[in-house]
Amino acid sequence: SSQFLGSTEVEQPKGTEVVRDAVRKLKFARHIKKSEGQKTPKVELQISIYGVKILDPKTKEVQHNCQLHRISFCADDKTDKRIFTFICKDSESNKHLCYVFDSEKCAEEITLTIGQAFDLAYRKFLESGGKDVETRKQIAGLQKRIQELETENAELKNKVQDLENQLRITQVHASPAGSVTPKSPSTDIFDMVPFSPISPQSSTPTRNGTQPPPVPSRSTEIKRDLFGAEPFDPFSCGAGDFPPDIQSKLDEMQEGFKMGLTLEGTVFCLDPLDSRC
């Protein structure tokens, strides 16, 4: 377990001077709190390839969750082997915050542990997602195009349906009241030869040549015209694997890992007076 001195906003994502000032500031704040009878809260650090979690040691409640690709600097104190600190970019405000701890264990070990976790996380990112960023961009684009085509397909189906209805209405009005029975139930709209029990041979020449049979006949093929011969699309089945914000997450991780993590063990030294705080 460690004592959590707190976090403070810093102007730079890394740097010895930046860390030194933050530690001095938080040590002074702890000194004031001690003089007022307040205790420095104890926390438990959980380091993994996903980040550094700051937990309540009793309830195990997560107080802070610092994603590893957002951590840009990690260092321990030269004079006080218990002081350990890291700089993390806050996910909500996008400000750089410096977290400072007074650990019972050697602070240098914690620094190295975070460094190892960062290396493993970067390797895993490259293996699982980093190389596929462009592929996922293409998939996202294809999924968007599929949605557009499906909408277009639905609109075309509605138009075809309207045309069919109009043709039926026109056909009913055009035929006289005493028309021959084979013409009234005519199936010319489906491009089929109407069946007539009276004269099967005479049905073919009685077809209405003014009707455009090709339009309705294509109605069943519209989906295939839009998506190709095969109705199955391999990109549509994996839609659940790629949430809408997947690209922003990948870009953020890529940016964070590209910036890298600076490990500086035993680099900054506070004045002897400060170590008494």
Side-chain angles (χ1 to χ4, degrees):
S1 64
S2 308
Q3 286 187 342
F4 182 36
L5 274 66
S7 63
T8 182
E9 185 183 349
V10 290
E11 293 182 1
Q12 301 294 328
K14 50 187 69 182
T16 307
E17 285 296 327
V18 173
V19 169
R20 182 185 288 128
D21 291 341
V23 172
R24 183 179 284 117
K25 180 180 175 181
L26 290 170
K27 274 193 168 186
F28 182 74
R30 178 173 68 168
H31 182 66
I32 298 296
K33 286 177 182 177
K34 275 186 177 179
S35 66
E36 293 174 351
Q38 296 182 39
K39 290 184 178 180
T40 308
K42 285 193 173 183
V43 294
E44 186 178 302
L45 290 176
Q46 196 177 82
I47 302 168
S48 70
I49 59 168
Y50 302 105
V52 178
K53 285 184 179 179
I54 303 169
L55 312 172
D56 184 293
K58 292 180 181 178
T59 64
K60 304 298 179 184
E61 183 185 351
V62 179
Q63 297 176 352
H64 300 276
N65 187 9
C66 304
Q67 292 175 304
L68 215 60
H69 67 272
R70 289 179 167 269
I71 298 176
S72 54
F73 190 82
C74 191
D76 44 89
D77 193 347
K78 185 178 179 181
T79 52
D80 191 341
K81 297 291 184 182
R82 294 163 58 100
I83 294 295
F84 153 73
T85 178
F86 64 83
I87 297 175
C88 180
K89 192 177 184 181
D90 185 59
S91 57
E92 293 180 5
S93 64
N94 275 336
K95 294 176 180 177
H96 294 287
L97 300 178
C98 184
Y99 293 79
V100 179
F101 304 87
D102 187 337
S103 177
E104 292 176 3
K105 293 184 179 180
C106 180
E108 190 177 357
E109 289 178 11
I110 302 174
T111 305
L112 293 172
T113 304
I114 290 184
Q116 290 169 354
F118 192 93
D119 289 341
L120 286 171
Y122 183 51
R123 205 174 304 154
K124 186 177 179 182
F125 171 74
L126 289 179
E127 288 171 0
S128 63
K131 292 177 181 176
D132 299 331
V133 169
E134 290 303 318
T135 306
R136 295 192 185 199
K137 276 184 182 177
Q138 291 173 6
I139 290 172
L142 284 168
Q143 286 173 347
K144 189 179 177 183
R145 181 64 182 145
I146 286 168
Q147 287 178 350
E148 290 171 356
L149 289 172
E150 283 176 348
T151 305
E152 188 181 336
N153 184 29
E155 289 173 358
L156 286 170
K157 278 185 177 179
N158 290 335
K159 285 181 182 178
V160 169
Q161 189 63 46
D162 290 342
L163 281 171
E164 287 178 357
N165 293 338
Q166 286 175 17
L167 286 168
R168 285 197 187 98
I169 292 166
T170 307
Q171 192 176 19
V172 169
H173 287 302
S175 58
S179 62
V180 185
T181 50
K183 286 187 178 181
S184 56
S186 172
T187 52
D188 284 353
I189 192 164
F190 296 108
D191 198 22
M192 292 173 65
V193 178
F195 170 74
S196 172
I198 299 167
S199 57
Q201 303 299 324
S202 63
S203 58
T204 305
T206 58
R207 288 171 57 195
N208 189 352
T210 58
Q211 295 177 2
V215 177
S217 68
R218 288 175 57 185
S219 64
T220 55
E221 297 176 3
I222 283 177
K223 189 168 184 179
R224 267 179 268 159
D225 288 342
L226 291 171
F227 295 101
E230 289 290 331
F232 171 74
D233 195 314
F235 292 108
S236 60
C237 61
D241 299 331
F242 305 103
D245 61 341
I246 182 68
Q247 195 52 53
S248 61
K249 292 285 183 188
L250 281 170
D251 290 342
E252 181 195 31
M253 288 179 72
Q254 199 170 38
E255 184 186 351
F257 283 128
K258 272 183 180 177
M259 185 168 65
L261 172 66
T262 304
L263 295 178
E264 294 194 3
T266 67
V267 289
F268 66 90
C269 175
L270 297 175
D271 298 331
L273 185 67
D274 293 326
S275 61
R276 296 177 194 168
C277 297

